[in-house]
Amino acid sequence: MSLRGSGTKLLIAIAVGFLLGLLVGFALLYAPSATRADAASWFKAIGDVFVRLIRIIIPPLIFFTIAAAVASVADLRRLGMILLWMFVLYIGTSALAGFWGILAGSIFQPGVGIGLTPPAGYQPPKPPSAIDILLSFFQTDFNALLAVGGSMTMIIFAIILGIAVVLLGDEGRKLYSFLRLGSDTMITMVRIIMYYAPVAIFGYAAWLIATYGPQMLGAYGKFLLAQYSFTFMHFFVIYSIIVAAGGLNPLKYFKYQSTPFLIAFTTRSSAVTLPYNMEAARRMGVPEEVFQLTLPVGATVNMDGTALYQALSALFIAQLFGIPLTPAHIGLAVVASVIGSVATAAIPGGGTIMLAFVLGVLGLPLEGVGIMMVIDPIADALRTAVNASGDNACTVLITKLVGLRLRSES
Ligand code: ASP
């Protein structure tokens, strides 16, 4: 059985689950209130099963995907310059995108006034100090790495392990094969869990409407407006500036990038878009030695659309539950969304799975993941398209920064 389909069937199934959930939720609004509350808690449980499955898979997913990506780098010294600029540009553009997410959430305020109640026993988060944040990246026990909130330490552990594998040279190849296989296996596990997604979305949609009524639909509409407008702005304005700085006419960039953009938009996976992104880079005149490294790494770690989405989602969830965020939290949200986007797997819905990490870091209710699942197919389409496009924009500039030139068009 192959799990590597285009995702179209899953997309349709999710849409059907969502619509059925809405219908059932609306129908429940006319039921007696005791029946409605009872049914709503069952529907929520159906969705919660999905979130719990995801929580379990996050630590091994982060470990294997990142360790394998780092260990795949062949020769650290020769590639040092490209890696350095890649790091600066990938992190820089994602941080900017995370900032746009915060700005979009503050301007559109999509979750304000909905008034969801935080789960029982929920304590509003205290703003962490800079020292708290620094130390939270480094857990004290190996056990702590396995918790969703220990993800940053897991990422650091996985990076160091990946470098160690590279330094071991030929000896390390065996471990690399294991990590690569582990990474593919974890992604396949996620695909298996995704089969349950349409049912979970049905459950969450029915629960949300039955419990909170149609005003939730308005909140989702505002969220998507905020996300789409700022993500398109990042794509057209920021990438134009980046490719122009790299010596490429932005119009040419948009012309060649249109195919991978649409493929990413419809498949919602940066990983499956990679071959088309490489073809576009070739047409833009980027030398192979640059894009063969930057694009596969970028597909895994550089996700501007996801960073914007995760920062905006964090703000949205805080607004929905009426939880005030301090400036320290806002700064942390940008940092967490950059890290979360780096750790996001290049698969449909990966960014919403990793949203649990961002919410966990900020101390926001993890029910937020289920709430965002409802509109994930729509939110994922554009963020994936921009994730893939950002890799190519940065690749054009990296080419110039490392002293290479774009070849004339072929
Ligand atoms: N689907 C996205 C991608 O593959 C990741 C995400 O869900 O944010 O780039």
Side-chain angles (χ1 to χ4, degrees), residues 267-271 299 303 305-306 309-310 344-353 376 380 383-385 387-388:
T267 63
R268 297 179 300 126
S269 168
S270 296
M303 299 194 179
T306 299
Y309 161 83
Q310 287 175 339
T344 293
I347 52 169
T352 298
I353 294 169
D376 200 50
D380 196 6
R383 69 177 190 254
T384 309
N387 287 347

Side-chain angles (χ1 to χ4, degrees), residues 108-192:
F108 285 86
Q109 309 217 322
V112 168
I114 304 294
L116 300 195
T117 359
Y122 175 74
Q123 300 283 333
K126 286 194 202 76
S129 71
I131 292 179
D132 291 340
I133 296 170
L134 176 71
L135 289 182
S136 74
F137 290 168
F138 300 89
Q139 302 285 332
T140 49
D141 292 305
F142 188 81
N143 286 358
L145 272 65
L146 300 176
V148 171
S151 295
M152 190 54 210
T153 318
M154 181 63 104
I155 290 169
I156 293 166
F157 179 81
I159 289 175
I160 297 174
L161 186 117
I163 292 172
V165 170
V166 175
L167 293 177
L168 279 177
D170 282 347
E171 198 95 19
R173 302 306 297 168
K174 286 179 210 142
L175 188 53
Y176 169 66
S177 309
F178 168 72
L179 294 171
R180 171 58 54 207
L181 187 60
S183 173
D184 292 347
T185 308
M186 289 305 137
I187 289 175
T188 307
M189 278 183 77
V190 171
R191 286 177 187 278
I192 295 170

